[in-house]
Structures are given as structure tokens and as C-alpha cells.
Amino acid sequence: MERVKCLIIGSGPAGYTAAIYASRANLSPVLYEGIQPGGQLTTTTEIENFPGFPDGITGTELMEKMRSQAERFGAEIRIGMVSSVDFGVTPKQVTIDNETTIEADTVIIATGASAKYLGLPDEQKYAGMGVSACATCDGFFYRKKTVAVVGGGDTACEEAIYLAGLAKKVYLVVRKPFLRASKIMQERVAETENIEVLYEHQTLGLFGENGVEGVRLVKRRGETDEEEVNLAIDGFFLAIGHHPNSDVFKNFVETDELGYIKTEAGTPKTNIEGVFAAGDVADPHYRQAITAAASGCRAAIEAERYLKSSK
Ligand code: NDP
């Protein structure tokens, strides 16, 4: 069985930064990329708040730079999904794609988070036929068409603005009477002429013969003036947040009620010695590229310390 000193799972800013630090510390890290190499940032547009890029940088480019920086120092980056783990043994065992089991002295979990769906049967019915959780991936199909984006946070605003550049009209469907997004994003939404914000609207379902042709909404649900609103749309985009990708670790690693991996305050240490968590999978609060990168750095430093102390 292959044995590695440091196994990193995940290829977002946390995973790649951990790989940069671990390789420079001679831990010869092996990193598994998962199904979305580069992670969530590869599905965003311009990143304007990552220090060092005053003119902005695309998510894909930033992740490519981080990846090649990790490779430059010898990190081995592989394709594969973790299918199961056994953290009850020493060294830890991690199985990839139900096929290969690797022994690891330390493990850094940096599996990030995935987009949430509303849980409506129509989301599955129209999957790939007008329903998407990634505007930059699928926006191109809606040029000069009409789309709805659900959510009131920064992601929803960002997606709505991006889609407004392609589509004829964008409805932003917000369940509260206000946006949760940052001021700057709210202002940009307000300045974009072809975005119409529908406050206090919730989604009941979708309709259409061959793909999405419309959305059924309810305005002011539960109030005396509750009203059903049907809108003709061609695309339905979810932007209601994310859930942490921690399921495969849950038999061993403690998580909170939402599934975020619990870490010792101020450190990336999980309840299992030698297993560390970094980035969005362990961060319900900040969820930024820069905070994920920082936690990846800490995880690699802690992995190195753990290896030294356990020798
Ligand atoms: P958020 O958790 O901030 O927002 C989720 C939004 O979806 C909220 O408006 C929420 O409504 C709404 N929502 C959740 N569940 C439902 C539901 N079932 N039906 C309808 N609406 C629902 O997630 P984001 O992904 O927007 O942002 C995550 C983090 O990433 C934040 O910290 C954000 O600041 C950051 N971010 C920053 C960017 C930037 O430009 N710097 C870009 C993108 C993200 P409600 O408000 O009612 O709870």
C-alpha cells in the first residue's frame, strides 16, 4: 500500500495553499483534486478582493496559479474522489474512487462546500434543462433570454449581475424584504437596468414542456395579501448558499449540526490527531478565498509539527 506523509483532499485555495506549504516543508504532499479541480472559484467570475491582484483576476486563473505554485515545489496533484476513510488506525487510511487505499501520516481535509438547492422536485425534473447553480458555467446558454436567480446574498447578486450581461432580463428572487449582500453588490444590482428584484417572493415550482419555460412564485407567503405570481423564464439559477462537503469523514471527524467540520478554536485541528480541516468545509463564517488559503497554510504547518512531534 502506498504511504504518504501528508495527504491533502481538495483543490480549492485551502488545498493548494496547504500543498504549497507542505511541499516546501519537504512533506512530499499528495493532493487529490475531486470532481471540481480548482474548486468553487472556478465557477465565479472576476475576483476583486484577493490581495495582490489590484486589477482583479478570474477565478480559473487564480486557481491555475496556485496549482502551478504547488507543483513547482513538488506537490503531486492527482485526479480522484475520496470514497471512504478509516481514521481509527495508524497510519490513517484513505480510499480513492473505491479502488486505491493510501496510508497517510497526516490528512488535510479541504473539500470545500457545494451549492444548495431549494429541494423542489422540479429542480431535479429540469436538471440540465434550465436549472443551474452556476451562472458562469451555464450563463452562455441564456444569451438574450430571461432568467431568474434565487437568493439575496453576495453570490446571488454576483450571479445576477453576470447574467444581466448576457440575458435580456434577470429576475432576482429574494425571500426577505431586503438583500443580505454587501453594500457594494447591492449598489451594483440597483445600477443594472435589466435586473428586477422581487422581494418577499418564494419559489413553488417550475413549468415547461421541453425544459424550463416559467417559474411559479408566491409573494408574501402566509400574509393576508399572499399572491401567486407566474413568470415566463428560460433559466432558473440557484444562489442560496452552500453546504460543506464533509459526509465521507463524518464517521470519524466531528461536525456541527450543519455539517461543518469542528476544529479546535483558532487552529485547523480536528478531533482526530493528525487530521486537519481547512477552508469552507470547516468555516461557516467567512468563506472567502483568502481565509481558505490562510487556513490551508495553518493546516500544513500543523501537519509538519505533528509529524515532528510524533517521530
Ligand atoms: P449567503 O448565505 O450569504 O446567502 C444566501 C442567500 O440565499 C440569502 O439571501 C438567503 O436568504 C437565501 N436563501 C437561503 N435559503 C433559501 C431558500 N430556501 N429559499 C430562498 N432563499 C434562500 O450565501 P452566499 O453564497 O451568497 O455567500 C456566502 C459567503 O460568500 C458570504 O460570506 C458572502 O459574503 C461571500 N461571497 C462574497 C463575494 C464577494 O464578492 N466578496 C461573492 C460571493 C460570495 P436570507 O437572507 O433570507 O437568509
Side-chain angles (χ1 to χ4, degrees), residues 149-252:
V149 177
V150 182
D154 279 325
T155 303
C157 291
E158 193 179 68
E159 306 256 289
I161 293 161
Y162 176 75
L163 288 166
L166 297 162
K168 184 173 67 187
K169 167 104 188 177
V170 179
Y171 294 106
L172 185 57
V173 181
V174 184
R175 66 178 173 184
K176 292 219 171 103
F178 54 86
L179 289 168
R180 177 203 286 233
S182 54
K183 268 270 157 307
I184 184 163
M185 295 306 270
Q186 293 193 28
E187 280 165 20
R188 284 188 196 168
V189 164
E191 283 162 9
T192 309
E193 276 178 10
N194 56 342
I195 299 178
E196 181 178 342
V197 185
L198 303 174
Y199 291 107
E200 297 183 86
H201 281 67
Q202 290 182 49
T203 310
L204 297 174
L206 300 164
F207 54 88
E209 292 284 315
N210 299 309
V212 171
E213 289 170 15
V215 60
R216 288 195 301 120
L217 302 172
V218 55
K219 186 179 177 186
R220 290 177 57 77
R221 186 182 226 165
E223 303 296 324
T224 47
D225 56 351
E226 175 181 311
E227 183 190 344
E228 201 172 312
V229 182
N230 287 350
L231 294 175
I233 57 164
D234 306 290
F236 182 74
F237 287 83
L238 283 313
I240 58 168
H242 294 81
H243 63 82
N245 297 322
S246 60
D247 287 355
V248 75
F249 310 107
K250 275 186 181 163
N251 284 344
F252 296 94

Side-chain angles (χ1 to χ4, degrees), residues 12-300:
Y16 285 151
T17 306
I20 294 168
Y21 274 78
S23 49
R24 287 172 58 84
N26 278 340
L27 304 189
S28 312
V30 169
L31 179 151
Y32 277 90
E33 281 190 323
I35 40 169
Q36 193 175 56
Q40 291 177 68
L41 285 189
T42 59
T43 68
T44 64
T45 47
E46 194 84 349
I47 309 210
E48 295 178 333
N49 50 12
F50 200 91
F53 300 94
D55 303 319
I57 182 166
T58 68
T60 312
E61 205 187 338
L62 181 61
M63 297 323 296
E64 275 166 9
K65 282 182 188 290
M66 286 193 195
R67 186 186 205 276
S68 58
Q69 196 170 350
E71 284 178 320
R72 177 179 157 206
F73 298 110
E76 192 180 327
I77 295 172
R78 300 181 186 167
I79 297 163
M81 283 287 285
V82 170
S83 43
S84 63
V85 299
D86 186 352
F87 291 159
V89 292
T90 306
K92 279 98 191 145
Q93 293 197 354
V94 175
T95 302
I96 313 294
D97 296 329
N98 290 312
E99 269 174 22
T100 320
T101 300
I102 293 174
E103 289 184 330
D105 296 316
T106 61
V107 177
I108 296 176
I109 301 171
T111 43
S114 299
K116 274 196 218 161
Y117 285 77
L118 293 167
L120 300 171
D122 284 345
E123 288 170 323
Q124 296 195 341
K125 183 176 168 191
Y126 294 101
M129 295 165 69
V131 174
S132 168
C134 177
T136 41
C137 314
D138 301 323
F140 184 75
F141 301 114
Y142 301 95
R143 284 167 68 195
K144 301 198 173 24
K145 295 192 172 172
T146 300
V147 297
V149 177
V150 182
D154 279 325
T155 303
C157 291
E158 193 179 68
E159 306 256 289
I161 293 161
Y162 176 75
L163 288 166
L166 297 162
K168 184 173 67 187
K169 167 104 188 177
V170 179
Y171 294 106
L172 185 57
V173 181
V174 184
R175 66 178 173 184
K176 292 219 171 103
F178 54 86
L179 289 168
R180 177 203 286 233
S182 54
K183 268 270 157 307
I184 184 163
M185 295 306 270
Q186 293 193 28
E187 280 165 20
R188 284 188 196 168
V189 164
E191 283 162 9
T192 309
E193 276 178 10
N194 56 342
I195 299 178
E196 181 178 342
V197 185
L198 303 174
Y199 291 107
E200 297 183 86
H201 281 67
Q202 290 182 49
T203 310
L204 297 174
L206 300 164
F207 54 88
E209 292 284 315
N210 299 309
V212 171
E213 289 170 15
V215 60
R216 288 195 301 120
L217 302 172
V218 55
K219 186 179 177 186
R220 290 177 57 77
R221 186 182 226 165
E223 303 296 324
T224 47
D225 56 351
E226 175 181 311
E227 183 190 344
E228 201 172 312
V229 182
N230 287 350
L231 294 175
I233 57 164
D234 306 290
F236 182 74
F237 287 83
L238 283 313
I240 58 168
H242 294 81
H243 63 82
N245 297 322
S246 60
D247 287 355
V248 75
F249 310 107
K250 275 186 181 163
N251 284 344
F252 296 94
V253 175
E254 278 178 21
T255 57
D256 70 9
E257 63 282 2
L258 297 174
Y260 289 94
I261 294 178
K262 283 190 188 173
T263 52
E264 193 181 296
T267 80
K269 293 179 186 169
T270 68
N271 59 308
I272 310 274
E273 278 201 5
V275 177
F276 306 93
D280 285 13
V281 73
D283 175 13
H285 302 294
Y286 303 107
R287 298 175 292 181
Q288 303 296 304
I290 189 74
T291 51
S295 68
C297 156
R298 290 182 187 195

Side-chain angles (χ1 to χ4, degrees), residues 286-310:
Y286 303 107
R287 298 175 292 181
Q288 303 296 304
I290 189 74
T291 51
S295 68
C297 156
R298 290 182 187 195
I301 291 174
E302 288 297 344
E304 187 196 1
R305 287 183 184 159
Y306 172 81
L307 286 169
K308 270 200 188 126
S309 69
S310 59

